[in-house]
Amino acid sequence: MIEHSNLEEYLDPVNYDLEFDGEMDKYQFYLELARSSPGEVLELACGTGLTTIPLSKAGITMTGVDISSAMLAYARLKAGGLTVTFMEGDARTFESDKRFSMIYLTGNAFQAFLSDQDQNDLLTTVHKHLQPHGIFAFETRNPEGTDLSDQEETEWGSFIDKDGKNVKVSGTQCYDASQHIMHWVTMRDSGDKRTTSRIACRFTDQATLQSLLTRHGFRVEHQYADWDKTPFSPSSSSIISVCRKC
């Protein structure tokens, strides 16, 4: 199941955007993919629309689904008069009469599905809502290319928050090898305030991923290491998968 604590990362959508916005190469990757399969596009786990909105601005008819009402409220505010639909829902149980030409998840959202059942339910949802031969794309961290060792608090970076304060970001990690789940604790320190949030992410290796996608009726057409479409290798830090519904 998706742990309740995972939602702690998404309680402050404005600062979330300030910390994570600006991945132009990623936006361009998904835009090019959407243009290669004309029709309506669905983003699952869309959050504040960091990717949904740029694609909508580029003329793609978009629907975004997310489990967090706070993130969606901010997404709708940012979207203004754009032709984009935001819906609250769980990607494992989402139901729509629409069939989409492309469905994607980004921000490593695939890793938020922590059990075999979660992954199966997600992929069942995707397959059901894709048009025949539609595209499914997502990225996930590659366990073979990631340092999974337990780590004490280390500095991860910084950003300027909505109040103009410099926020230092640090965190710890602890990997449960039996469940393939990483538990991260993130600390954000603005000088007069320090917050803590927790998130759990499942790591799935390439071979397991390939088997899982095949069982659910997808053909993997491409796997990349980065948004520049560098071919995936076992040491790559990411697995960016582009699949076709069989």
Side-chain angles (χ1 to χ4, degrees):
M1 61 178 293
I2 297 176
E3 291 191 354
H4 178 73
S5 62
N6 271 6
L7 300 180
E8 292 178 356
E9 274 289 281
Y10 312 118
L11 298 177
D12 187 349
V14 178
N15 279 328
Y16 178 90
D17 272 17
L18 292 169
E19 185 172 354
F20 296 109
D21 195 7
E23 296 182 89
M24 301 307 295
D25 50 354
K26 178 171 77 174
Y27 307 155
Q28 188 62 33
F29 177 92
Y30 283 112
L31 175 58
E32 290 177 4
L33 204 55
R35 284 175 169 165
S36 74
S37 183
E40 188 165 352
V41 173
L42 170 65
E43 180 180 3
L44 294 171
C46 68
T48 63
L50 286 178
T51 311
T52 323
I53 289 172
L55 266 63
S56 179
K57 287 181 176 178
I60 306 298
T61 303
M62 295 295 303
T63 294
V65 172
D66 199 89
I67 202 168
S68 167
S69 58
M71 299 287 271
L72 287 173
Y74 191 48
R76 293 185 182 105
L77 180 66
K78 293 192 303 176
L82 292 173
T83 307
V84 54
T85 301
F86 287 108
M87 302 171 62
E88 186 173 345
D90 187 325
R92 297 167 297 182
T93 56
F94 173 70
E95 290 284 350
S96 173
D97 293 333
K98 290 183 179 179
R99 296 297 178 262
F100 300 88
S101 62
M102 172 175 150
I103 298 175
Y104 72 98
L105 300 88
T106 191
N108 296 307
F110 184 83
Q111 292 185 255
F113 297 86
L114 300 180
S115 69
D116 290 348
Q117 189 63 55
D118 287 340
Q119 291 182 342
N120 290 333
D121 290 346
L122 167 68
L123 294 177
T124 297
T125 293
V126 173
H127 195 273
K128 177 179 179 179
H129 289 87
L130 271 178
Q131 295 173 358
H133 311 297
I135 291 174
F136 173 45
F138 65 101
E139 83 272 11
T140 179
R141 299 175 187 88
N142 175 27
E144 300 301 322
T146 302
D147 182 359
L148 300 177
S149 63
D150 291 355
Q151 295 179 10
E152 298 298 323
E153 185 175 351
T154 56
E155 293 185 6
W156 288 351
S158 64
F159 69 98
I160 304 300
D161 72 4
K162 59 189 176 186
D163 299 317
K165 297 178 180 177
N166 183 63
V167 180
K168 295 179 180 179
V169 183
S170 60
T172 66
Q173 67 178 45
C174 180
Y175 187 61
D176 180 348
S178 66
Q179 300 296 321
H180 311 291
I181 291 175
M182 178 69 80
H183 296 273
W184 278 294
V185 179
T186 305
M187 282 70 77
R188 296 176 175 88
D189 191 337
S190 59
D192 59 350
K193 182 181 179 183
R194 180 178 167 95
T195 63
T196 299
S197 64
R198 297 174 299 277
I199 192 167
C201 289
R202 186 179 192 187
F203 280 76
T204 306
D205 63 70
Q206 187 201 22
T208 303
L209 200 60
Q210 179 87 28
S211 175
L212 182 66
L213 290 164
T214 300
R215 288 201 313 272
H216 282 273
F218 297 101
R219 181 178 70 253
V220 179
E221 295 193 334
H222 303 285
Q223 285 187 320
Y224 303 114
D226 55 38
W227 304 119
D228 294 327
K229 300 182 181 179
T230 303
F232 173 80
S233 71
S235 62
S236 301
S237 60
S238 292
I239 310 172
I240 303 172
S241 299
V242 179
C243 314
R244 185 80 59 176
K245 178 177 177 178
C246 296

